[in-house]
Amino acid sequence: KFSMSGSQRNRLKGATVYEVGSIQYSKSKGRDWRKKITPRLQKLGINVLDPTNDSFKRSKEDKKLQQKLEQLRNEGRFEELRELGKPIRAIDLKATDKADFIIFYLDTDVFTVGSFEEIFWANRLHRPVLIYIKQGKRGLPFWLFWTFPTEFIFENWEDMFEYLEYINSSEVIDTLNGRWQFFGE
């Protein structure tokens, strides 16, 4: 699909990716797909921001905090809920700012909200947002087709990693109007 002729570059070495996808409503709390792809990203020399990893610099968003948030919501203590959650949102948006590109895992059967704010923010920053859609491209919401280049939409991990290899190694790449930017080239 992608031509990778020429010298073996390593454009993505040292780049940072932020892994975006549902946590709150996911059965695995978003850990399963991240554990699957993180080693492959790291093998390319990519720094991974994984919000489910304990090393992710964020407020302690664990089971105890989730229970507290649920309790506050159930008791109608909405201002306390808001204040307790603001640091989580701030750190996630900071990760979006820091990332060179985003990988968004979308399962349309699992509700998500923050993920959409993060990918639309990344789009405004003109960052590449690679979208893995569990239901396949035909299951992608129209709005995402209208927002992101179709080259960034994948229905399997192998195609996404083939694309990343193309970006990483090809002599000449399509930067998609400057979304992919590499200094020193």
Side-chain angles (χ1 to χ4, degrees):
K1 293 178 187 178
F2 302 103
S3 173
M4 292 188 281
S5 60
S7 66
Q8 290 298 309
R9 298 177 178 276
N10 199 3
R11 285 187 187 94
L12 295 175
K13 184 176 183 178
T16 299
V17 63
Y18 179 36
E19 296 174 335
V20 173
S22 181
I23 294 174
Q24 182 178 359
Y25 296 104
S26 167
K27 289 179 184 173
S28 74
K29 298 300 179 200
R31 289 181 177 88
D32 53 356
W33 69 270
R34 288 174 171 97
K35 283 183 181 179
K36 180 179 182 175
I37 70 165
T38 294
R40 290 183 72 180
L41 294 165
Q42 291 170 331
K43 189 175 179 181
L44 290 170
I46 298 169
N47 301 311
V48 178
L49 295 175
D50 172 356
T52 67
N53 188 315
D54 290 338
S55 66
F56 190 78
K57 305 295 185 220
R58 63 189 293 143
S59 61
K60 190 70 173 157
E61 189 179 357
D62 57 12
K63 189 173 183 175
K64 187 176 177 182
L65 177 61
Q66 286 297 321
Q67 290 171 342
K68 179 68 173 174
L69 294 169
E70 291 287 339
Q71 176 188 358
L72 293 172
R73 184 172 60 184
N74 292 339
E75 293 173 1
R77 296 163 53 194
F78 303 123
E79 191 57 35
E80 290 175 70
L81 170 69
R82 181 181 191 291
E83 291 303 313
L84 190 59
K86 281 171 54 174
I88 296 168
R89 179 177 175 265
I91 291 168
D92 287 358
L93 291 177
K94 180 65 174 175
T96 304
D97 288 340
K98 182 176 174 53
D100 296 300
F101 69 102
I102 305 293
I103 292 178
F104 174 38
Y105 176 88
L106 178 60
D107 177 350
T108 57
D109 293 332
V110 178
F111 187 71
T112 189
V113 175
S115 300
F116 286 107
E117 182 177 17
E118 293 161 355
I119 67 166
F120 291 131
W121 180 248
N123 189 55
R124 286 184 185 93
L125 295 173
H126 215 61
R127 302 265 168 44
V129 176
L130 307 183
I131 301 169
Y132 170 93
I133 173 75
K134 182 179 178 186
Q135 288 74 14
K137 288 183 183 181
R138 288 176 178 83
L140 193 76
F142 294 144
W143 199 275
L144 297 181
F145 279 114
W146 303 336
T147 306
F148 299 100
T150 58
E151 292 90 342
F152 290 169
I153 303 166
F154 303 91
E155 25 189 40
N156 65 68
W157 291 118
E158 291 311 312
D159 286 349
M160 181 181 289
F161 277 97
E162 184 178 321
Y163 178 74
L164 286 172
E165 284 291 344
Y166 156 76
I167 294 298
N168 191 48
S169 302
S170 293
E171 185 70 30
V172 177
I173 63 168
D174 181 354
T175 65
L176 294 166
N177 295 319
R179 285 179 187 264
W180 288 107
Q181 294 186 14
F182 301 98
F183 298 100
E185 286 201 0

